[in-house]
Amino acid sequence: AVGSAAVVAHWHMGDRSRLTIAANLGPEVGKMPAHQGRVLFASSPAAAQAADQGRLEPYSTIVVLGA
């Protein structure tokens, strides 16, 4: 958990890349590790920008595939 209603999960893929899924189901901004990789999904453009800065916007989800 990275907040009262937020979680971040990581999986290491067969090619040694890392898949990260972060979701914030609450009204407060959460923290997430700054990512280095390609955003595969963001629930909004604001969510993608916030994730670049290590923030997880309220009511947002982001999926990143990194090296």
Side-chain angles (χ1 to χ4, degrees):
V2 292
S4 61
V7 295
V8 175
H10 306 280
W11 290 269
H12 292 280
M13 310 306 284
D15 65 355
R16 298 187 184 187
S17 62
R18 184 167 83 163
L19 181 68
T20 301
I21 300 176
N24 186 354
L25 305 177
E28 298 175 5
V29 173
K31 292 183 182 179
M32 66 175 286
H35 69 82
Q36 293 184 358
R38 183 171 55 116
V39 174
L40 301 179
F41 173 82
S43 55
S44 70
Q49 281 186 321
D52 287 341
Q53 300 168 0
R55 294 190 333 267
L56 190 53
E57 288 292 292
Y59 307 110
S60 68
T61 301
I62 187 159
V63 179
V64 176
L65 184 62

